[in-house]
Amino acid sequence: MTVQDLPRAEVGLDVVVERKELIAEDVARLTLRRPDGEPFPSWEPGAHVDLVLAPGLVRQYSLCGDPSDRTALQVAVLRERDGRGGSRHVHERLAEGDDLVVRGPRNHFPLVEAERYLFIAGGIGITPIVPMLAAAEAAGADWRLVYGGRTRAAMAFLPELEGAYGGRVSVRPQDETGLLDLDALLAAPDDRTKIYCCGPEPLLAAVEERCRAWPRGALHVERFTPVEDAGPRASFEVELARSGRTLTVPPDKSILRVVEEAGISVLSSCREGTCGTCETEVLGGEPDHRDTVLTDDERASNEIMMICVSRSLGPRLILDL
């Protein structure tokens, strides 16, 4: 079986850091290649990968390179001084020539076809947007990018974006222009426009609030931080169709943890409902979706769920495990 035949979520590839470069204040871009020279699996704008940085240290990063170039993958990593250690590892310990493992790519933020696009990026949220701009341009779509950040020095990809697209890119450093004027940007709902937004949680929440009047499905966002889980936590059963077992999930444990404790292997990564690695098919029952990955339509279909955080609305779920 070749790499291309494997389900993408199961792909684990050895890679080498060919290049590490600082492209903005506290933003490092990594160029990764396979040491055997084989191509990477194909991917589309909006995709991300897991980087296995060290044992027990796995982080998700959006791909920001050229999807047509399957000889290399590129990610951009913001140093988060109050983070959990992944970005510090990249900035302080990772060096050119180091070996890593990449899993994926996966895409829960795909660019859908549209006549017009409004891209809104905040800070490092520009990374998944970069290949989207190239795709929109190649498709002949009408598009605009509004890109905010703390300062110009902290905003990655500025020279490339302004040089390639000129007036289609509106750069809005907060220290020069203040916060993005979302009221003006999103004042007129338009059924021909798709909005793509990635950035810090306050920006995403503000955009979502202002898009309530827009047509359903107009707004697409990507989060890499979990939302607060304030829902009820009752016990329920999960029937594992392939394993032939029924397990009880208590209030203080996730489905993922219970399944793992039963000795059943499930691929997972973030364990926060943000990466999509543990996506599992639902064969029966009604999930209580608590992830930040699935769209409203995907949640309503109840065909898949993220078992690291989501629970059950009823006494029993049947899963394809």
Side-chain angles (χ1 to χ4, degrees):
M1 179 178 287
T2 67
V3 166
Q4 287 79 7
D5 295 327
L6 290 170
R8 289 186 182 177
E10 297 178 2
V11 172
L13 297 176
D14 294 326
V15 300
V16 62
V17 180
E18 180 185 73
R19 189 175 184 188
K20 176 183 174 182
E21 55 189 323
L22 199 65
I23 60 171
E25 184 180 288
D26 284 337
V27 179
R29 178 166 57 191
L30 305 179
T31 299
L32 310 173
R33 294 194 188 273
R34 296 182 62 183
D36 58 10
E38 290 295 309
F40 286 101
S42 61
W43 60 278
E44 295 180 350
H48 70 270
V49 292
D50 296 341
L51 289 193
V52 184
L53 300 168
L57 188 62
V58 182
R59 296 293 184 267
Q60 296 74 45
Y61 298 109
S62 297
L63 293 172
C64 57
D66 179 0
S68 68
D69 180 7
R70 294 178 58 192
T71 68
L73 296 179
Q74 289 188 333
V75 299
V77 181
L78 171 68
R79 184 202 302 261
E80 299 184 70
R81 302 184 186 278
D82 297 324
R84 297 174 297 155
S87 68
R88 289 198 304 274
H89 182 96
V90 169
H91 279 261
E92 299 172 11
R93 300 185 60 183
L94 198 64
E96 292 179 357
D98 284 356
D99 297 321
L100 299 174
V101 171
V102 166
R103 295 201 304 243
R106 288 179 293 276
N107 198 343
H108 295 281
F109 193 43
L111 184 69
V112 300
E113 185 176 347
E115 182 178 335
R116 297 192 186 113
Y117 297 99
L118 172 60
F119 298 102
I120 304 174
I124 198 62
I126 189 63
T127 52
I129 301 295
V130 169
M132 290 185 178
L133 303 181
E137 183 77 1
D142 181 13
W143 64 267
R144 178 188 179 194
L145 166 66
V146 179
Y147 180 14
R150 292 184 295 106
T151 65
R152 285 182 181 270
M155 298 170 70
F157 303 104
L158 275 189
E160 297 97 319
L161 295 175
E162 292 182 315
Y165 304 120
R168 293 195 179 203
V169 177
S170 298
V171 178
R172 295 289 183 267
Q174 187 174 341
D175 64 338
E176 297 177 20
T177 62
L179 296 175
L180 298 183
D181 188 356
L182 299 179
D183 290 329
L185 282 174
L186 303 169
D190 179 3
D191 59 9
R192 295 174 295 177
T193 299
K194 299 296 184 185
I195 303 164
Y196 278 79
C197 181
C198 188
E201 181 58 32
L203 172 65
L204 299 182
V207 170
E208 287 176 328
E209 177 63 30
R210 288 159 176 81
C211 284
R212 293 186 186 279
W214 281 67
R216 180 181 175 90
L219 175 62
H220 301 257
V221 302
E222 182 170 54
R223 286 180 164 89
F224 278 107
T225 56
V227 295
E228 182 179 356
D229 181 3
R233 302 183 69 86
S235 295
F236 58 94
E237 291 185 338
V238 288
E239 178 184 335
L240 310 182
R242 279 190 279 155
S243 304
R245 302 180 63 179
T246 298
L247 307 173
T248 298
V249 181
D252 62 339
K253 293 184 180 181
S254 67
I255 299 174
L256 176 62
R257 182 176 172 186
V258 169
V259 168
E260 289 179 331
E261 290 177 348
I264 297 167
S265 178
V266 179
L267 194 66
S268 65
S269 182
C270 72
R271 296 177 178 264
E272 297 178 326
T274 61
C275 75
T277 307
C278 68
E279 178 182 304
T280 301
E281 185 177 354
V282 179
L283 304 178
E286 188 176 0
D288 179 6
H289 297 288
R290 303 187 184 192
D291 64 277
T292 62
V293 176
L294 299 178
T295 65
D296 290 340
D297 288 342
E298 288 171 330
R299 290 175 178 231
S301 73
N302 285 328
E303 295 177 351
I304 54 176
M305 68 183 298
M306 306 302 158
I307 62 172
C308 64
V309 293
S310 296
R311 302 185 67 80
S312 179
L313 292 174
R316 190 181 185 94
L317 287 173
I318 304 174
L319 302 179
D320 185 24
L321 292 173

